[in-house]
Amino acid sequence: MRKPIMAGNWKMFKTEAEAVDFAKKIKPLVADVHDRIIIICPPYPVLSKMCDELCNSNIALGAENLFWEDEGAFTGEVSGPMLKAVGCTYVIIGHSERRQYFGETDETVNKRIKAALKHNLYPIVCVGEKLEERENGSTFNVVETQIKGAFKDISVEQWDNIVIAYEPVWAIGTGKTATPEQAQEVHAFIRKLLPEEVAEGTRILYGGSVKPANVKELMAQPDIDGGLVGGASLKVDSFVELVKY
Ligand code: PGA
């Protein structure tokens, strides 16, 4: 059985005071949830304070990115050891906004995954097609290329707690969710692309306008193992509803 994951991707939202307020409010509301994994991925500047609030709770902390070197002259970057030191367990890698605005490629995604694994951070690796790619019928090609590129030279022995998030770009922040059938089709396809030894145990999350109104039908799909949630993870009420879907 794959324990479901509900992960909040806060993107570039919340100051320290806002983040701490959120953490204090949500902790007691989900304290009784043990049959699923809850993750919050806030911006870097609030990670340390969020760990003070959450690291002894059933809510895990994740970062939104990491650089592949451990240290060095890389202005503006943050490394695996730094994320470990502030209490991160997970790290999002290759989000479509990183690919679209910051030049992330399958090759850099692969380097970041290797860096995360080296430092025992569990990667949440994002893939997904753009609207024109869905419309011209290349969804499966695009996703296959992204998966093969991301996991190049990563062996089954290293495949510890890798999480994949299928996020159709046209569904992110748009209010348009993929139908459960559309999502399931791609999730099943992704699972077939994974090494046989790890395919059944790997969690594949869906992301793209997940909200309380659609979470149940998405989670009812056999290959959807959780959600990577942007907008609806920013409010305590809606994130609690998602966690307790
Ligand atoms: P959204 O974002 O839930 O706001 O669509 C999801 C994501 O980008 O991870």
Side-chain angles (χ1 to χ4, degrees):
M1 260 308 272
R2 299 183 291 268
K3 194 171 180 175
I5 292 180
M6 206 49 71
N9 170 17
W10 280 4
K11 312 192 178 185
M12 198 174 71
F13 289 98
K14 293 196 194 292
T15 61
E16 186 175 285
E18 291 163 347
V20 168
D21 181 60
F22 182 103
K24 284 192 191 302
K25 284 184 177 143
I26 199 166
K27 221 168 24 172
L29 298 176
V30 298
D32 57 337
V33 176
H34 298 292
D35 56 351
R36 47 204 67 169
I37 296 169
I38 310 167
I39 309 169
I40 296 178
C41 304
Y44 295 137
V46 309
L47 284 170
S48 176
K49 271 279 192 310
M50 286 294 275
C51 182
D52 294 345
E53 299 296 329
L54 301 178
C55 280
N56 287 322
S57 77
N58 59 336
I59 303 174
L61 198 57
E64 297 179 17
N65 193 14
L66 90 168
F67 191 58
W68 51 83
E69 297 291 344
D70 291 357
E71 59 180 13
F74 302 104
T75 302
E77 293 300 317
V78 170
S79 72
M82 293 172 186
L83 296 181
K84 275 309 260 195
V86 289
C88 287
T89 312
Y90 291 86
V91 57
I92 298 171
I93 295 175
H95 190 279
S96 66
E97 286 148 18
R98 300 294 318 168
R99 295 177 192 255
Q100 187 177 349
Y101 305 124
F102 303 101
E104 197 78 63
T105 63
D106 293 334
E107 196 186 343
T108 57
V109 166
N110 177 251
K111 287 181 168 184
R112 290 180 211 272
I113 295 172
K114 287 174 180 159
L117 295 175
K118 177 176 160 198
H119 296 292
N120 295 317
L121 287 158
Y122 305 150
I124 302 174
V125 180
C126 303
V127 298
E129 81 287 1
K130 301 194 191 97
L131 182 60
E132 65 266 28
E133 293 165 338
R134 173 149 290 260
E135 285 175 348
N136 71 22
S138 56
T139 296
F140 293 107
N141 281 344
V142 167
V143 169
E144 181 165 2
T145 304
Q146 289 173 333
I147 291 280
K148 292 209 164 129
F151 297 112
K152 188 166 179 279
D153 301 327
I154 291 171
S155 66
V156 166
E157 292 72 43
Q158 288 174 288
W159 199 277
D160 188 19
N161 289 297
I162 287 177
V163 178
I164 295 170
Y166 168 59
E167 300 204 307
V169 179
W170 48 272
I172 294 178
T174 57
K176 265 192 229 166
T177 325
T179 65
E181 295 72 28
Q182 281 174 322
Q184 165 59 25
E185 193 183 22
V186 182
H187 281 234
F189 174 75
I190 291 172
R191 200 175 302 286
K192 285 217 182 72
L193 295 174
L194 304 182
E196 212 185 315
E197 301 90 321
V198 298
E200 272 310 302
T202 300
R203 292 182 194 85
I204 306 175
L205 316 183
Y206 169 79
S209 299
V210 176
K211 42 193 179 246
N214 59 27
V215 67
K216 270 205 180 71
E217 49 178 11
L218 287 163
M219 290 304 297
Q221 300 298 317
D223 287 291
I224 299 184
D225 306 314
L228 181 57
V229 188
S233 74
L234 292 168
K235 292 216 171 80
V236 173
D237 293 357
S238 54
F239 194 53
V240 169
E241 272 191 72
L242 290 175
V243 166
K244 298 189 169 181
Y245 70 88

